[in-house]
Amino acid sequence: MTAHRTHNIRVIKLGGSLLLFPELPSALPAWLSRQTPAINILIVGGGECVEAMRELDALWKLDPTSMHWRCVELLDATWQIARELWPDWPSFGPEITRDQAACHHLLDFIKSSSCHSDPHTPLLVRVRSVYGNSCQQLPFDWRTTTDSIAAYLAHSLNANELVLLKSTPHAFDCSAEHAAQVGWVDQAFPAYAPKNYPTRVVHLTSNDFPESTLLP
């Protein structure tokens, strides 16, 4: 279900590996300050927490769907860490919903809150509040990570932009398909990447924040 756009919305995925970047608390606000005004919706990846689950799965060959939801549950922890790093930023994190209108609830929250009063302050969104079993478009296995969940959210919110903040630099623009093949994004991403505009990939650990684009 796609929501009607009433504001300029930018969906941002903060790579979980960036939580180990010592300069992150200042680097992310610095990058945001350089962006054009928008309502910034930010979700946080799993980073090393999810990588530990990958190692367990590789050893024990566990059920892929169960592993997927275990990893989604771990995203609660990285969301909570982000809330501690930036305590003044607003957050959206009601209990998990299985309602297909979850993104409409998020839009209602945006309209009724002050999160759009500062165009450079993001709303920290708990993944499980906007992504659940009702999101049948995405495969519930290792093909889907927060890259594709961010793309799903951008589509559902009819967003103007999708930005992936990563710790690994990307030297050139390429297709979303190529990015998935070389492991820059997850395998599900090409099918759910925005079709009307390129996805921006930003190397947040460099002072000048170099970026590349993933073409639809």
Side-chain angles (χ1 to χ4, degrees):
M1 182 181 295
T2 303
H4 176 68
R5 179 163 60 211
T6 57
H7 305 281
N8 290 332
I9 294 175
R10 176 186 296 119
V11 172
I12 304 166
K13 175 265 178 90
L14 177 69
S17 62
L18 286 165
L19 293 174
L20 296 174
F21 175 42
E23 314 268 330
L24 178 62
S26 58
L28 179 53
W31 175 79
L32 284 163
S33 71
R34 301 184 186 187
Q35 306 310 302
T36 56
I39 294 175
N40 295 294
I41 305 297
L42 188 145
I43 66 170
V44 186
E48 294 302 311
C49 298
V50 169
E51 288 307 309
M53 300 300 277
R54 284 186 187 273
E55 292 183 17
L56 288 171
D57 187 49
L59 177 62
W60 300 113
K61 307 301 181 188
L62 300 165
D63 177 74
T65 300
S66 297
M67 284 300 297
H68 177 78
W69 293 113
R70 288 186 192 109
C71 292
V72 171
E73 290 174 5
L74 286 174
L75 299 177
D76 279 4
T78 56
W79 171 67
Q80 291 165 7
I81 290 169
R83 294 179 68 197
E84 285 198 42
L85 291 176
W86 301 285
D88 295 331
W89 290 359
S91 62
F92 179 81
E95 290 305 309
I96 184 170
T97 178
R98 303 186 188 281
D99 183 357
Q100 291 190 9
C103 288
H104 286 280
H105 301 326
L106 175 55
L107 279 173
D108 289 340
F109 179 84
I110 291 170
K111 294 174 187 176
S112 63
S113 74
S114 60
C115 69
H116 55 335
S117 61
D118 184 346
H120 298 111
T121 296
L123 175 66
L124 301 173
V125 172
R126 180 189 187 215
V127 168
R128 286 207 299 159
S129 297
V130 292
Y131 173 74
N133 285 329
S134 63
C135 304
Q136 296 293 338
Q137 296 96 323
L138 292 171
F140 298 153
D141 55 35
W142 285 114
R143 290 172 292 174
T144 297
T145 70
T146 43
D147 292 334
S148 287
I149 293 173
Y152 169 84
L153 184 58
H155 172 75
S156 299
L157 296 176
N158 197 16
N160 306 76
E161 283 190 85
L162 174 61
V163 183
L164 307 179
L165 302 178
K166 302 255 185 185
S167 57
T168 303
H170 299 270
F172 54 87
D173 300 343
C174 66
S175 68
E177 188 70 41
H178 178 75
Q181 290 173 358
V182 299
W184 290 349
V185 294
D186 63 48
Q187 295 177 34
F189 185 83
Y192 302 97
K195 306 305 181 202
N196 298 328
Y197 52 85
T199 299
R200 297 166 56 198
V201 182
V202 177
H203 181 31
L204 199 65
T205 60
S206 292
N207 291 332
D208 55 349
F209 307 127
E211 65 179 68
S212 55
T213 56
L214 305 184
L215 305 175

